Amino acid sequence: MVATDIDVHANTFDAEDPIFALHRGGKMSITATVPIRDADDLSLAYTPGVAQVCEAIAADPEVAHDYTWVSNTVAVVTDGTAVLGLGDIGPSASMPVMEGKAILFKQFGGVDAIPIALDTTDVDEIVETVVRLAPSFGGINLEDISSPRCFEIERKLIERLDIPVFHDDQHGTAVVTLAALINAARLTDRFLEDLKVVISGAGAAGVAITKILQSAGVHKIAVVDRGGVIHPGRDDLNDVKQWLAEQTADWARPGSIADALDEADVFIGVSGGTVPEEAVARMAPDAIIFAMANPHPEIHPDVAHRYARVVATGRSDFPNQINNVLVFPGIFRGALDVRATRISEGMKLAAATAIADLVGDELSETYVIPSPFDPRVATVVARAVTDTARREGLARRPY
């Protein structure tokens, strides 16, 4: 997840701290949607009445979407290996974040979400566990699973399941980044196909951003990791980075991040670390800088503003917060509403465009992306997703 303001260096427990006070007892609970006031209510909600609903579902499993919580419930699944900026802290320590994700689903999309933290890091064990849990849910949101395992887990689940599977660290970040870039390009009188983009970070977010930018028409992309620009000539690349090297080979050239930033139009940071100011100074005039690492952006906004016209971060205390909460509630709201079998690239592109369009005539250097608290966001994203799902033939509910 890109957009969470948290001090990763805080490691002291203080029960009087307001943060701990807010989290005491957890941040969510299960509540009933029907009353149980007397024997008649009990006979309808449970035995004997419930047997009729069970029999109807046994005869036609699709009935479950209308008569259980499945149609509005998502599993938020993690193994705790890549939690925020904290890293591999394990499933138990990941639960406060998973609960937080679940309440954001409810608050912004009206989607019920259940945190599931798995005590395994084995790809096949995770896949098998989720497949066996899937009948209880209308969708699967993968969260905070380390790269490159996250790619294989998502791929295998998409192959095995006929409900939406969405790794938010990849695709939520990619969609909201594209939305902000659409408006930043518009503001600086650029076309997406002309942009020279440097992406710092080759993990889940960096890969997904590369893919969605290419789908949107951006092809001059260089991806940088600790070893410098990723290119086919390097002999230290895993399969994912080899794919990145091949995808960006027409533009990316060997060198350091400073070399990559020379005359670059756009910097997108999803890596952590710090980019030297002298490297930033080599960017093109009216540059666009999205430094999204939390809590410390790769390029501090004070430095970025010396060289860039548009600056965005993942933090809420600076303008232009690039926050995944703009994406995942609406994506799942739309997918669940039409009982989509999966979330396609077309749906993601449509969601990005819908978010960008909300800015409209208010577009400015400090407003290229809507606020997470803009009540229109989830609705327009959901509508874009449902329309695209129907158009692509992925909607089981065509009306």
Side-chain angles (χ1 to χ4, degrees):
M1 181 182 295
V2 172
T4 303
D5 297 336
I6 186 168
D7 182 358
V8 298
H9 302 293
N11 55 14
T12 57
F13 175 80
D14 179 0
E16 302 303 316
D17 186 305
I19 293 176
F20 284 95
L22 182 144
H23 286 77
R24 182 179 293 278
K27 300 189 291 294
M28 58 184 294
S29 64
I30 300 293
T31 61
T33 61
V34 296
I36 306 293
R37 297 161 298 198
D38 52 34
D40 288 340
D41 287 343
L42 184 60
S43 69
L44 292 173
Y46 198 51
T47 185
V50 74
Q52 290 182 240
V53 182
C54 293
E55 289 173 337
I57 295 171
D60 180 5
E62 284 295 303
V63 173
H65 288 274
D66 292 317
Y67 293 97
T68 73
W69 78 347
V70 166
S71 64
N72 195 55
T73 307
V74 168
V76 181
V77 179
T78 190
D79 62 0
T81 55
V83 181
L84 303 177
L86 304 172
D88 185 356
I89 59 174
S92 294
S94 75
M95 278 299 289
V97 177
M98 299 307 109
E99 287 183 358
K101 193 79 172 193
I103 63 175
L104 294 178
F105 264 110
K106 188 67 172 180
Q107 174 71 25
F108 293 103
V111 175
D112 294 315
I114 304 298
I116 298 176
L118 300 179
D119 190 15
T120 177
T121 60
D122 181 84
V123 167
D124 290 331
E125 287 183 357
I126 291 172
V127 170
E128 292 300 326
T129 301
V130 174
V131 167
R132 281 158 175 72
L133 290 170
S136 297
F137 300 100
I140 307 295
N141 183 93
L142 301 174
E143 191 75 23
D144 293 349
I145 299 172
S146 63
S147 175
R149 295 161 48 257
C150 60
F151 303 112
E152 186 178 4
I153 290 169
E154 183 188 45
R155 177 182 59 78
K156 288 186 174 183
L157 286 174
I158 289 172
E159 291 172 354
R160 298 275 301 272
L161 299 177
D162 65 349
I163 57 176
V165 177
F166 186 82
H167 184 206
D168 186 51
D169 299 313
Q170 289 185 64
H171 311 299
T173 305
V175 169
V176 73
T177 299
L178 175 58
L181 187 59
I182 289 170
N183 280 334
R186 174 185 161 204
L187 184 66
T188 58
D189 294 318
R190 291 176 166 106
F191 296 101
L192 293 181
E193 55 266 30
D194 296 329
L195 291 176
K196 303 171 186 176
V197 178
V198 175
I199 299 173
S200 177
V207 171
I209 290 169
T210 300
K211 289 181 179 179
I212 201 168
L213 291 189
Q214 289 180 330
S215 296
V218 181
H219 296 292
K220 298 174 182 177
I221 301 172
V223 184
V224 182
D225 65 3
R226 290 185 179 88
V229 175
I230 294 173
H231 61 89
R234 283 179 49 175
D235 59 4
D236 60 342
L237 304 178
N238 60 27
D239 290 343
V240 172
K241 291 183 180 181
Q242 187 63 47
W243 179 88
L244 282 171
E246 293 166 358
Q247 290 296 307
T248 60
D250 290 343
W251 178 255
R253 295 292 178 267
S256 66
I257 191 166
D259 296 325
L261 285 173
D262 190 34
E263 292 301 311
D265 300 301
V266 181
F267 169 84
I268 297 172
V270 283
S271 64
T274 302
V275 178
E277 182 172 353
E278 55 268 25
V280 181
R282 297 174 65 173
M283 294 185 70
D286 280 350
I288 298 164
I289 293 178
F290 296 169
M292 298 187 287
N294 265 312
H296 306 296
E298 295 90 346
I299 304 169
H300 193 278
D302 291 344
V303 174
H305 278 296
R306 295 172 194 158
Y307 307 98
R309 184 171 173 190
V310 179
V311 177
T313 70
R315 291 173 50 146
S316 59
D317 52 348
F318 294 107
N320 295 326
Q321 184 188 17
I322 296 181
N323 193 322
N324 292 20
V325 77
L326 289 162
V327 181
F328 64 82
I331 286 263
F332 271 99
R333 176 74 280 145
L336 292 172
D337 284 347
V338 295
R339 298 183 191 170
T341 55
R342 62 185 178 90
I343 296 173
S344 68
E345 289 302 310
M347 293 180 195
K348 298 168 199 172
L349 288 170
T353 301
I355 294 168
D357 287 348
L358 277 180
V359 171
D361 294 337
E362 298 178 64
L363 179 64
S364 70
E365 285 81 359
T366 58
Y367 187 56
V368 298
I369 195 79
S371 163
F373 295 97
D374 186 328
R376 302 172 297 168
V377 173
T379 300
V380 301
V381 170
R383 186 181 306 121
V385 168
T386 59
D387 290 346
T388 305
R390 287 170 175 147
R391 188 171 59 252
E392 295 181 343
L394 299 174
R396 280 176 287 203
R397 176 180 281 165
Y399 50 87

